[in-house]
Amino acid sequence: MDNCIFCKIAKGEIPSVKVFEDDRVFVFEDINPILPGHTLLIPKAHAENIWEISGDDLAAIHRASKRVAEAIRSVLDPVGVAVFQLNGRGVNQVVMHYHLHLVPRMADAPALTMTDWELKPGNLDEIRRIGEKIAVALA
Ligand code: AMP
Ligand code: ZN
């Protein structure tokens, strides 16, 4: 897609620190790493988010994420790897081309505060009401 920075990265039209690619997936280092080793996986075919990406590309991204997570583990020996993905400006998606984040954390690195949310029991009636609606939509 014209004017999409990640399409341009996948085509090699703008530089990136590439770590892997196959016919569907391109993998490179995040230029503003949350922690060292922060890596992004994108489909080569433009899709904005989880609603647009094809099932085959989504499967390819997640298959590749396992390989990349294994490589990250062998190289960096992290105490954990956070895997996440944002869909929509309302949850702070900034680049509107689907991307999966892999963020390793080494033992001596600062806390990954974004993964450290407070556990507060929800309203069980509301949890059930929403869960039932989603289940119906899935049926
Ligand atoms: P998100 O909020 O999930 O849309 O995050 C977009 C991510 O893309 C951020 O972590 C950025 O640092 C990263 N990013 C943006 N431009 C580039 C680029 N040219 N090369 C590598 N990473 C980038
Ligand atoms: Zn794109």
Side-chain angles (χ1 to χ4, degrees):
M1 191 195 215
D2 294 347
N3 284 330
C4 171
I5 188 170
F6 282 4
C7 282
K8 288 181 180 165
I9 285 177
K11 289 185 203 143
E13 291 173 2
I14 60 173
S16 69
V17 179
K18 179 179 108 174
V19 298
F20 176 77
E21 72 176 305
D22 63 19
D23 53 333
R24 286 183 180 271
V25 178
F26 191 92
V27 185
F28 58 106
E29 294 304 290
D30 197 295
I31 203 80
N32 308 293
I34 297 172
L35 291 173
H38 183 170
T39 301
L40 301 175
L41 295 92
I42 62 173
K44 287 186 171 177
H46 181 84
E48 187 166 310
N49 52 41
I50 195 165
W51 299 290
E52 278 190 9
I53 190 171
S54 72
D56 285 345
D57 276 352
L58 193 62
I61 290 275
H62 280 268
R63 259 195 312 275
S65 76
K66 181 165 172 59
R67 278 192 70 185
V68 177
E70 281 164 357
I72 286 172
R73 186 168 63 177
S74 71
V75 171
L76 297 173
D77 191 26
V79 289
V81 177
V83 179
F84 63 93
Q85 191 269 315
L86 307 176
N87 299 281
R89 295 189 197 283
V91 292
N92 298 325
Q93 182 180 2
V94 172
V95 177
M96 306 314 275
H97 178 130
Y98 183 101
H99 50 284
L100 188 69
H101 295 259
L102 297 193
V103 181
R105 179 175 173 268
M106 274 62 83
D108 59 352
L112 196 51
T113 51
M114 60 181 296
T115 64
D116 186 21
W117 59 84
E118 190 185 350
L119 293 184
K120 284 191 287 187
N123 177 317
L124 202 50
D125 287 338
E126 184 184 48
I127 293 168
R128 285 205 184 101
R129 202 164 50 244
I130 294 171
E132 279 163 14
K133 283 185 184 167
I134 295 171
V136 168
L138 281 164

